[in-house]
Amino acid sequence: MRLTVSKFAMLADTTVRTLRHYRQLGILVPSQKNENDHYIYVNADFKRLHEIQLLQSLGLSLNEIKVCLDNPNYSFEEIIKVQEQSLRQRREAIDCSLALIERIQLLTEQDQLNESNSEILMLLMNSMRVEQAQKKLLQKYVSIDVIDQLFPEDFSKQTYLDGKLYNLLLLVHRAIVKGLNPDHPFIQQQLHGIFADTPLSDLIFNEEVNNEELYKNVKPYESLAPKHTMDFLKEAFEVFNTKKNSSLKD
């Protein structure tokens, strides 16, 4: 069978444009031409096209397909193994992204947010993205029970804490805009309201935690938020912790 590009495209359920693109890339170049110097497709080209389409369905790009098909040691079995690993990793990344989106959507549907701020939602989502690394870091300073409370598996508890963290970031934003210092009574009162009934207090008020060492180790994560926000939070927590410890001693 000898077919022109248009007839081949029709029978193969593809387009002339696609076939021309494949030819330009060098992954499907007909070996024959007719008397008018036009490319002619034969039976073997169907096999080649189906092979390209199969590799595309496995997630390979056209450039990756070209590398595979140009390799004399090309092994379809090896490609399957490599691509399976790649697809599983991509699926894991997609699942993580969808979980982050779901948490943000659940949070915005709750009434506990004082107001909606897209920039703060993005900061919060960035913090969620590195939670596994944060959990690993905190294992050095607090018990597993505290970590499980800080990062609960239960979605309702998780959303509740997300709201607390969101309102904390919003508090800092408002304070900076209004020119309030971290030790301002209103700021300290709001911090108490945010943390009083959360497991975060177990971390903040834990006298066994070396705060200086902890601050040093969380440096890589400070870039998740603007420097002025992190500086404000650090000073506010120091004042808050000092007052809390003083009240406990009294």
Side-chain angles (χ1 to χ4, degrees):
M1 181 168 53
R2 291 161 53 86
L3 300 171
T4 61
V5 62
S6 58
K7 290 183 178 180
F8 182 81
M10 182 177 64
L11 287 176
D13 194 23
T14 186
T15 65
V16 172
R17 182 178 180 180
T18 297
L19 293 175
R20 286 174 178 166
H21 185 50
Y22 288 170
R23 190 176 72 238
Q24 291 169 354
L25 290 175
I27 58 176
L28 178 53
V29 181
S31 58
Q32 300 183 26
K33 288 186 177 182
N34 61 16
E35 59 278 5
N36 296 320
D37 203 34
H38 293 159
Y39 284 105
I40 294 296
Y41 290 81
V42 296
N43 286 341
D45 294 318
F46 278 108
K47 178 179 181 299
R48 180 76 164 192
L49 176 63
H50 291 316
E51 193 169 24
I52 293 169
Q53 292 173 333
L54 174 60
L55 293 175
Q56 279 187 295
S57 71
L58 294 177
L60 274 71
S61 69
L62 291 178
N63 287 332
E64 290 172 329
I65 292 173
K66 177 175 173 54
V67 171
C68 292
L69 298 182
D70 286 348
N71 184 354
N73 298 318
Y74 158 66
S75 167
F76 183 68
E77 291 79 5
E78 183 63 26
I79 287 178
I80 288 179
K81 292 179 182 178
V82 173
Q83 198 61 12
E84 179 189 15
Q85 182 180 6
S86 174
L87 289 172
R88 290 187 182 280
Q89 291 173 345
R90 285 162 58 186
R91 182 170 66 182
E92 182 179 350
I94 291 172
D95 289 342
C96 288
S97 296
L98 288 174
L100 290 180
I101 291 172
E102 184 177 2
R103 283 176 65 178
I104 290 296
Q105 288 177 334
L106 283 174
L107 180 62
T108 55
E109 293 170 359
Q110 303 297 315
D111 295 330
Q112 61 175 315
L113 297 190
N114 294 329
E115 66 179 60
S116 181
N117 184 302
S118 297
E119 183 178 352
I120 294 176
L121 285 173
M122 185 178 69
L123 292 177
L124 182 59
M125 199 171 188
N126 236 340
S127 177
M128 294 175 180
R129 183 178 56 83
V130 294
E131 278 183 351
Q132 291 303 315
Q134 293 173 356
K135 289 168 67 174
K136 184 177 180 180
L137 171 63
L138 288 176
Q139 287 177 3
K140 183 178 179 181
Y141 303 96
V142 295
S143 67
I144 295 297
D145 289 340
V146 172
I147 292 176
D148 289 341
Q149 293 179 58
L150 289 171
F151 305 98
E153 295 293 333
D154 184 88
F155 247 47
S156 61
K157 293 180 180 179
Q158 193 176 62
T159 303
Y160 176 74
L161 290 179
D162 287 343
K164 290 290 187 179
L165 183 53
Y166 176 89
N167 286 328
L168 172 64
L169 293 171
L170 181 62
L171 173 66
V172 174
H173 171 73
R174 288 174 171 174
I176 293 174
V177 170
K178 294 180 179 179
L180 300 180
N181 293 325
D183 60 352
H184 192 282
F186 174 77
I187 301 300
Q188 293 299 312
Q189 181 184 11
Q190 292 297 309
L191 285 179
H192 177 75
I194 291 174
F195 291 109
D197 59 346
T198 70
L200 290 168
S201 59
D202 293 333
L203 176 62
I204 297 172
F205 305 137
N206 193 333
E207 294 183 352
E208 297 180 0
V209 174
N210 186 332
N211 287 323
E212 184 176 346
E213 180 184 350
L214 178 59
Y215 287 149
K216 179 180 178 181
N217 287 330
V218 299
K219 279 287 184 183
Y221 306 107
E222 289 187 357
S223 60
L224 294 174
K227 186 178 185 303
H228 59 268
T229 298
M230 298 305 298
D231 290 343
F232 189 100
L233 280 172
K234 183 185 296 185
E235 187 175 344
F237 283 146
E238 288 174 350
V239 174
F240 190 40
N241 201 22
T242 300
K243 289 185 176 181
K244 182 67 176 181
N245 289 334
S246 297
S247 64
L248 291 175
K249 291 178 182 178
D250 295 339

